[in-house]
Amino acid sequence: MSEPTDMTAVAMAGGAPASDATAADDQPEKLESQTSQPDKSSLKESIISHNLERDHSDTRAKPFIWALALTAALGGLIFGYDIGGAGATFVMDGFKYHFGWACAPDDYECVPKSQRQIDIETGLINGLFGTGAAFGALFAPLLFNNKGRKPTINFGAIAFTIGAALQAAAVSMPMLYIPRLLSGFGIGMLSMCSPVYIAECAPESHRGQLATLWQLAITSGIVLVSILNIWLADWQEGWRISYGGNIVFSLALVGLLTIMPESPHFLVSNERFDDAREALGKTRFEDQIDWELDELKLEAKNAREEGVANWGEVFDDTNKKMRTRVRTGVLLQSFQQLSGINAIMFYAPNILQDFFGSKGSIYGTLALNIINFFATFITIFSIERCKFKFADITSNFDVFFSHKSFSAVGRVFLLFTGGLVMLVALIPTAVLASVDSEEGSVQAIGIGVTVFCALYVIGFAYSWGPVVWVVCAEMFPMRERGKATSLTTFSNWFWTCIVGAVFPIASTASLAGCFGFFAAVVFVATTFVYLFLPETANLTAPEIDEQYLTHKATVPRKKWN
């Protein structure tokens, strides 16, 4: 321990290790070169040495960090509200009458649109939202890297607010399409930035739990609007609230951000050390600040010496396995969407309507959404791989948790087991969807589909829903983080767009085929994480680097954490 510390002290002072002193005297030209260009190996040794000084048993976190994470997670609530709101409008009579999908009982001259037209318009409503989100994710790094995390979140929330207001006021289908793009653009920015902002502000021991609040907020938004939809469905103009009601939460996000600190990572990378110390003071205890600030300074110094990351370096495997990391992140986000979750959550009312009717489908969707919400808590209590005391998490909330100890399992195990649950649920769902139902068996088949969809939702909600966002928020080094995270988020929204646009037509052709495709994707995804995904729970950035450099695919898997 003493030798690395001595090297660290010398390196921090800007000199060479003592063992090199004689050689340096004999070679003045080499000494001059070493003085003008920082010794990267000494800096890396300094980072490693500093990490060895970390107190892994210190799992304290100020309650304010939970307030910060909940505030940033409002972006997820906005997105969840849109999922549940937009999907439910497709079975609301007021929406269908307004846009000509069905005819009001007293409108004898009305000619409703064909099912083909309805499928296309349904796909465009959801597909354009995903398209806007994909472009928002690509645009976000321009603000994320240059202006900071808070301005990026603010911009995304404002863009969404404008789009949602225009959707609520739409009088024709084209007036709904363009605002869907704008709202999607805002959500794309929020989904790229908010999880990273939470992960950067959170202490390593709680990073997974806090980042999971993004997914919990999504499920909360879905449940909230699902409850509202029960009453909105009986009001001819209720669909407008389904599209625009989440403006309340986007404005709340903009307002609450004014009292939240900027990411210490961004502040240190821009050499705003006093601001970084002040930001850390809000989320760390006094005796934790110095170590954390020194760690960020070392990371930032290393990033500055290597220069601004270009796109070539983001795809360079000799650069800390960056190509492998980007490929892993893109595949994880792609698998998440191609597993069928948004097809089920967006179109659950449509799927269940064939079995239970319009009103029954809304109640069935609410049941699925409530299950989705509560299953997410499994992740919050199990995503960190170390043992901890809940009382240490919240310090002032001991009365709620009574010092109960919990042994958690990490990222990889959750993704693997969740994938198995999803696979087990999708196969019988595909079989049931292929059955030609008779008059008396329609509801029985519908109940079976609902039960297995609920099992699928449980598997997704505790694994592939939240954990993918956590992994992608923490897996990249500081200098490549903005560009790499934008790519992983773009891939999520790209497939969201494709699935949202294609599923209405594909499910009309073969609902069983759709579920069969989702099952095949989940099988491939589960195999991938079992073999190729390193565990990153509770690790600092240099420790995550080491995980990617040393991980080897083995059967059976030897290293779960």
Side-chain angles (χ1 to χ4, degrees), residues 474-495:
E474 69 188 3
M475 69 190 295
F476 300 114
M478 183 186 292
R479 63 191 293 267
E480 294 91 357
R481 186 171 297 152
K483 289 184 173 69
T485 306
S486 72
L487 288 175
T488 61
T489 307
F490 171 83
S491 65
N492 181 290
W493 288 110
F494 173 80
W495 291 114

Side-chain angles (χ1 to χ4, degrees), residues 272-291:
R272 294 165 56 183
F273 302 125
D274 290 340
D275 291 339
R277 179 176 288 277
E278 182 180 348
L280 286 170
K282 293 184 177 182
T283 59
R284 304 290 191 275
F285 291 99
E286 191 64 33
D287 58 337
Q288 298 172 324
I289 295 175
D290 287 337
W291 184 92

Side-chain angles (χ1 to χ4, degrees), residues 315-359:
F315 295 103
D316 183 2
D317 235 20
T318 63
N319 176 30
K320 304 175 185 176
K321 289 284 185 179
M322 275 304 301
R323 183 172 67 240
T324 298
R325 297 197 210 196
V326 171
R327 182 173 62 239
T328 299
V330 167
L331 284 173
L332 288 175
Q333 293 282 16
S334 299
F335 288 144
Q336 188 200 63
Q337 288 308 307
L338 290 173
S339 71
I341 185 62
N342 274 344
I344 292 175
M345 302 313 289
F346 266 128
Y347 297 111
N350 292 52
I351 295 171
L352 299 181
Q353 184 181 25
D354 293 337
F355 303 107
F356 305 114
S358 296
K359 197 71 173 181

Side-chain angles (χ1 to χ4, degrees), residues 72 189-200 211 214 469-470 473:
M189 295 187 68
L190 291 173
S191 62
M192 180 267 158
C193 186
S194 291
V196 176
Y197 174 65
I198 294 170
E200 288 185 342
W214 170 262
W469 290 107
V470 173

